[in-house]
Amino acid sequence: MLILPAIDILDGMCVRLTQGDFKKNLKYSYYPDETATELEEAGAEFLHVVDLDGAKTGTLANIFVIKRIIDSVNIPIEVGGGIRKMSDIENLLDIGINRVILGSAAVENPAFVEEAAKNFGDSIVVGIDAREGIVAVHGWADSGKMDAKDLAARIGDYGVSTIIYTDIARDGMLGGINVDRIAEIAQSSGVDVIASGGVSSVEDIRKLKAREEDGIVGAIIGKALYEGVIDFKDALKAAE
């Protein structure tokens, strides 16, 4: 199972939000590229990067910061946040991003997601962010008025092979994960699912690892890693 450390970028800095609230952000680094280097040196094999400004506005806002991260590491990177156009995807892939995460577009413009998957294959990932089972969009600010399981069930039909599922209520709370909900999303979609939101212990990772047969293939770690709640080497060992 893959462990992906998260680098969330707001105003050019590495931050973590609490339950997606932009007003509740903790700044961890003014230099996300240095954070990326440290994570690679610690053993990270894949980075999860989110342009929070882009997620909120619908336009990639931190592309130059993302480019510095690319130039600082030698491991794959996935990026999400504000990607609404085919040119956004092309630009990110051209500068060296390995996977592009489409979020709000999966709700508001499914034809775009389907076309992107057709054009770029496994380089396209769909992010489903949900609060109490209902999809949230626009940087989690608005309701997508759709059940997360219903959306997940459509993703495989779009030709997408991986979903990142975030439980907003648990994100940044260090309160553990809802493994059963994540497994339901995997079963509903029939595609691989990466868990996000609330991973706060090695035991959480073991629980996810135990459900690999359901389609859970990875976990994203954010605040727990930055706060020292999880030792990264222990997390990697638990995921083996």
Side-chain angles (χ1 to χ4, degrees):
M1 190 176 76
L2 187 65
I3 301 296
L4 300 91
I7 298 178
D8 289 357
I9 305 169
L10 183 67
D11 296 328
M13 296 176 284
C14 178
V15 308
R16 292 301 300 171
L17 306 185
T18 298
Q19 295 182 320
D21 189 338
F22 280 75
K23 296 178 181 178
K24 298 178 181 178
N25 71 79
L26 290 173
K27 299 176 180 64
Y28 289 102
S29 172
Y30 287 95
Y31 306 102
D33 53 326
E34 293 182 2
T35 299
T37 300
E38 292 169 0
L39 290 168
E40 181 181 28
E41 291 174 350
E45 298 178 345
F46 213 119
L47 294 179
H48 173 80
V49 177
V50 178
D51 181 345
L52 291 173
D53 298 288
K56 191 173 182 180
T57 64
T59 304
L60 276 170
N62 288 288
I63 189 71
F64 296 109
V65 179
I66 293 168
K67 184 63 169 67
R68 290 204 303 271
I69 292 173
I70 295 168
D71 292 340
S72 70
V73 298
N74 296 301
I75 55 178
I77 301 169
E78 62 184 21
V79 169
I83 301 163
R84 308 281 196 274
K85 300 180 292 185
M86 207 64 68
S87 59
D88 292 336
I89 298 173
E90 293 168 351
N91 289 339
L92 287 168
L93 295 177
D94 285 346
I95 65 173
I97 291 301
N98 300 87
R99 295 199 303 212
V100 176
I101 306 163
L102 303 181
S104 300
V107 176
E108 300 174 336
N109 191 358
F112 167 66
V113 177
E114 191 168 6
E115 182 181 359
K118 181 179 179 181
N119 291 343
F120 303 109
D122 290 342
S123 294
I124 301 300
V125 176
V126 166
I128 298 180
D129 307 324
R131 184 181 283 108
E132 296 182 357
I134 302 300
V135 177
V137 295
H138 305 151
W140 303 354
D142 303 317
S143 173
K145 299 178 180 179
M146 179 181 295
D147 185 277
K149 288 191 292 184
D150 291 341
L151 178 58
R154 302 178 187 182
I155 297 306
D157 293 336
Y158 298 161
V160 174
S161 60
T162 304
I163 290 171
I164 297 171
Y165 179 75
T166 302
D167 188 333
I168 297 172
R170 293 172 181 262
D171 190 71
M173 298 301 289
L174 302 178
I177 53 171
N178 186 338
V179 179
D180 290 337
R181 175 63 61 83
I182 297 164
E184 285 177 359
I185 294 297
Q187 293 162 357
S188 297
S189 65
V191 305
D192 292 341
V193 171
I194 295 172
S196 176
V199 179
S200 57
S201 68
V202 171
E203 183 58 28
D204 282 337
I205 295 170
R206 292 194 183 104
K207 289 177 181 178
L208 292 168
K209 173 75 174 175
R211 302 296 291 270
E212 276 188 306
E213 290 185 0
D214 290 321
I216 299 174
V217 300
I220 293 169
I221 306 178
K223 191 173 184 178
L225 183 60
Y226 292 107
E227 293 288 333
V229 176
I230 291 183
D231 181 88
F232 192 49
K233 290 183 179 179
D234 289 343
L236 292 174
K237 186 175 181 180
E240 289 178 354

